[in-house]
Amino acid sequence: MTVPRPVARPGSTTIATIAGEVGVSVTTVSKVLNGRSDVAPETRARVEESLERHSYRRRTNRQSSTSQIDLVFHRFDTAWAIEIIKGVETVTAAAKVDIVLSQLDGAHSPSQQWLDTVYARRPLGVLLVLCHLGQAQQRQLQRQRIPFVVVDTDSATSASVPTVGSNNWNGGLLAARHLLDLGHRRIAVISGPEDVLCSKARVAGFRSAHDEAGVPVDPALVRFGNFAAYSGNDIGLELLRRPDRPTAIFAGSDIQAMGVMRAARQLGLDVPRDLSVVGYDNLPVASWLGPALTTVNQPLRDMAGAATRMLLDLARGEELATTRIDLVTELIVRESTGPVG
């Protein structure tokens, strides 16, 4: 009969312990720890299982790490991303910490290759924006003692993952309430990707405002796209060409709202006389549009700054007072909304 080996007490396990238990070399265990790709999948799985069972954590002196953090976006080709970067930079500049910037070309989860480059750099920590790590990836970073924080998560996260966002449900509620108060009853919503948490939360708030007012939501006027201008333009044209077109549109971002306003101009509609438009984010450009855009203020710089401070606290070995922060959203009324015509 085979007697299973007892798991060593936390902190006593070495790479040699793992290697002996799995029956591989110390070099192989080291390769798995460092995310190297030249390990057979079956062997990697056995080593990972042993590392997890022993709750192995790499022994490292955080003082010897480079003074930099990794800031990774699913995509950063928008003014929205610039606001996040500015919020992060305000905190890192004061702390004399550098930023390594990368993007995932629209993907919401990084590849193993990306993780390998992080291991090689040994940053103080990783800040993920609108993207997330899989469970196995989280465990790999934890074993390397590289902390991570998520900003504006794209999906539901466990309580153990430090996350900073804003109250997206309340933002959708405020936008819809404003339009309903102006007398609009056919209100469309164009949100971001349907599988992204903030998109769904804003639509949920939008629906709640209608329920509150006793006004039904037409399912044909609830659309999901992405947060880009072309999405607002394409879906906006489709909605505004309907014989029963909406009199107001709540867009999932200011950039998307710009696309909606362009669609209205293409069809000869005046904003706000013929169509009221509400955006989301309150980017600097929103106040300079013609007409100036009514929008939901999402404190992007504050969100990014709070997440960066959390990450640096974790890098110093400090305990977080909370692992979830949701900042307040508020409606900024400008010129793009008016009474139903």
Side-chain angles (χ1 to χ4, degrees):
M1 181 177 66
T2 301
V3 178
R5 300 183 186 185
V7 176
R9 67 182 183 278
S12 66
T13 303
T14 65
I15 291 180
T17 305
I18 301 297
E21 178 175 289
V22 179
V24 297
S25 68
V26 169
T27 301
T28 298
V29 177
S30 180
K31 286 181 178 180
V32 173
L33 281 169
N34 289 302
R36 293 273 297 275
S37 59
D38 53 340
V39 178
E42 298 83 1
T43 303
R44 179 186 297 276
R46 285 164 48 219
V47 172
E48 289 276 5
E49 189 278 332
S50 181
L51 290 166
E52 183 67 19
R53 196 163 62 85
H54 285 273
S55 299
Y56 179 85
R57 297 291 183 271
R58 179 186 289 276
R59 296 174 179 82
T60 182
N61 179 2
R62 297 304 297 165
Q63 296 301 318
S64 66
S65 299
T66 56
S67 293
Q68 64 184 31
I69 63 170
D70 267 62
L71 174 59
V72 56
F73 289 82
H74 80 297
R75 182 181 286 115
F76 58 59
D77 57 351
T78 66
W80 181 92
I82 297 301
E83 292 299 297
I84 294 288
I85 293 170
K86 287 180 178 178
V88 172
E89 198 274 336
T90 298
V91 176
T92 56
K96 295 181 170 55
V97 171
D98 296 326
I99 304 171
V100 176
L101 189 63
S102 59
Q103 68 164 341
L104 305 179
D105 293 324
H108 287 283
S109 184
S111 64
Q112 184 62 46
Q113 182 180 8
W114 175 84
L115 277 177
D116 293 345
T117 63
V118 172
Y119 295 150
R121 281 196 295 270
R122 302 289 305 153
L124 291 171
V126 177
L127 202 57
L128 299 118
V129 184
L130 207 59
C131 52
H132 66 276
L133 298 168
Q135 290 293 324
Q137 293 173 326
Q138 291 179 32
R139 290 194 293 268
Q140 289 178 52
L141 285 182
Q142 287 164 352
R143 279 197 290 272
Q144 299 288 335
R145 295 190 181 276
I146 299 175
F148 53 89
V149 176
V150 178
V151 181
D152 204 13
T153 178
D154 68 303
S155 58
T157 57
S158 69
S160 63
V161 178
T163 306
V164 178
S166 66
N167 194 330
N168 289 287
W169 181 89
N170 186 63
L173 181 81
L174 293 175
R177 269 183 183 170
H178 172 63
L179 294 170
L180 289 164
D181 287 346
L182 289 171
H184 295 277
R185 292 297 179 265
R186 284 193 60 75
I187 306 171
V189 56
I190 307 174
S191 198
E194 192 168 6
D195 60 345
V196 171
L197 187 64
C198 63
S199 301
K200 294 185 289 188
R202 292 170 195 175
V203 172
F206 172 87
R207 291 183 183 278
S208 292
H210 281 74
D211 292 343
E212 181 182 75
V215 176
V217 175
D218 185 346
L221 301 185
V222 178
R223 303 297 180 91
F224 292 90
N226 63 48
F227 295 123
Y230 74 82
S231 179
N233 184 248
D234 292 348
I235 300 175
L237 284 171
E238 182 183 341
L239 289 169
L240 295 174
R241 282 174 173 150
R242 294 173 60 95
D244 56 348
R245 67 173 177 82
T247 62
I249 296 178
F250 167 40
S253 73
D254 291 345
I255 302 301
Q256 194 181 62
M258 291 168 61
V260 171
M261 292 170 74
R262 184 176 188 273
R265 288 195 301 273
Q266 288 174 280
L267 298 177
L269 299 174
D270 179 78
V271 176
R273 187 183 66 236
D274 303 314
L275 177 73
S276 286
V277 179
V278 178
Y280 205 101
D281 292 328
N282 194 28
L283 298 176
V285 69
S287 63
W288 290 96
L289 295 175
L293 182 64
T294 294
T295 186
V296 176
N297 181 55
Q298 181 174 212
L300 296 173
R301 294 194 192 188
D302 291 342
M303 288 162 53
T308 307
R309 285 188 289 272
M310 289 171 71
L311 186 64
L312 295 180
D313 285 346
L314 288 170
R316 288 189 289 264
E318 299 178 12
E319 292 286 334
L320 298 179
T322 179
T323 59
R324 176 76 202 191
I325 297 175
D326 278 315
L327 299 184
V328 175
T329 49
E330 60 179 336
L331 184 72
I332 308 297
V333 179
R334 296 194 178 104
E335 301 164 358
S336 66
T337 52
V340 65

